[in-house]
Amino acid sequence: MSQELKVIVFALADEEYGVEVEKVRTIERMQPLTRVPKTPGFVKGVINLRGVVTPVIDLRGRFGFPETQYTDNSRIIIVGVEDLEVGMIVDSANDVIDVDPELIDDPPEIVGGIKAKYLQGIAKVGEHRLLILLNLKEVLSKNEIVQLDNIEE
């Protein structure tokens, strides 16, 4: 049996998504964001997180979902992608679960309006639960990472 994959589960537009625990630095409550001019619309700004300026994107905006008001459940999941830390605003962060890698299927072309390149796979969890696993390198593509790098300087 292969090694279980630890995944942080979060909600976005009525779907459940997952990201590998080892890529997550911290999960924060919503906090004031400082807007940065000349960035894509889904880049909401930066936060000062324990002395580190961290760019923050809204995953709803990134995937073309309608944006909503942030609530008490909204969270900023700080993830590490290559040498960059980025915050992703999600509707809520629910859970940490173990996923059997043998129960992860390749993503179909489009899932809930999200292109397959943003997805690592679809995990079957239990009888009726599907978890959409994100491919963080694509969610934050190289060009955008370069743009976000410039924010930090």
Side-chain angles (χ1 to χ4, degrees):
M1 178 163 155
S2 47
Q3 184 70 32
E4 297 258 296
L5 185 67
K6 273 213 176 314
V7 173
I8 294 208
V9 178
F10 62 89
L12 196 66
D14 299 327
E15 293 288 344
E16 284 190 311
Y17 294 83
V19 65
E20 293 164 53
V21 164
E22 68 215 25
K23 294 193 167 82
V24 174
R25 304 289 187 257
T26 172
I27 298 175
E28 304 288 330
R29 292 188 174 282
M30 283 304 297
Q31 49 193 281
L33 299 166
T34 303
R35 282 284 306 151
V36 178
K38 296 188 181 143
T39 54
F42 63 87
V43 177
K44 291 302 169 193
V46 294
I47 55 174
N48 181 345
L49 196 58
R50 295 179 267 295
V52 178
V53 175
T54 304
V56 176
I57 69 167
D58 190 319
L59 268 190
R60 279 177 166 270
R62 179 68 177 112
F63 293 149
F65 297 155
E67 292 186 19
T68 60
Q69 292 286 19
Y70 303 131
T71 68
D72 289 342
N73 292 328
S74 299
R75 293 290 180 269
I76 301 174
I77 300 178
I78 309 295
V79 294
V81 180
E82 291 166 4
D83 296 338
L84 180 67
E85 286 198 359
V86 178
M88 306 184 305
I89 299 172
V90 300
D91 295 349
S92 64
N94 306 331
D95 216 344
V96 177
I97 62 170
D98 292 320
V99 173
D100 182 343
E102 292 174 14
L103 297 178
I104 298 174
D105 292 336
D106 289 336
E109 252 342 274
I110 290 192
V111 177
I114 302 175
K115 294 185 184 90
K117 73 174 189 172
Y118 296 134
L119 308 177
Q120 185 177 320
I122 307 290
K124 295 182 200 95
V125 182
E127 286 280 311
H128 304 288
R129 191 171 171 196
L130 291 178
L131 190 62
I132 303 167
L133 301 176
L134 292 186
N135 177 347
L136 290 178
K137 279 192 179 132
E138 287 296 334
V139 170
L140 303 165
S141 77
K142 281 272 195 261
N143 299 348
E144 287 146 340
I145 289 174
V146 169
Q147 279 185 323
L148 295 174
D149 258 342
N150 297 337
I151 291 173
E152 292 182 6
E153 291 161 11

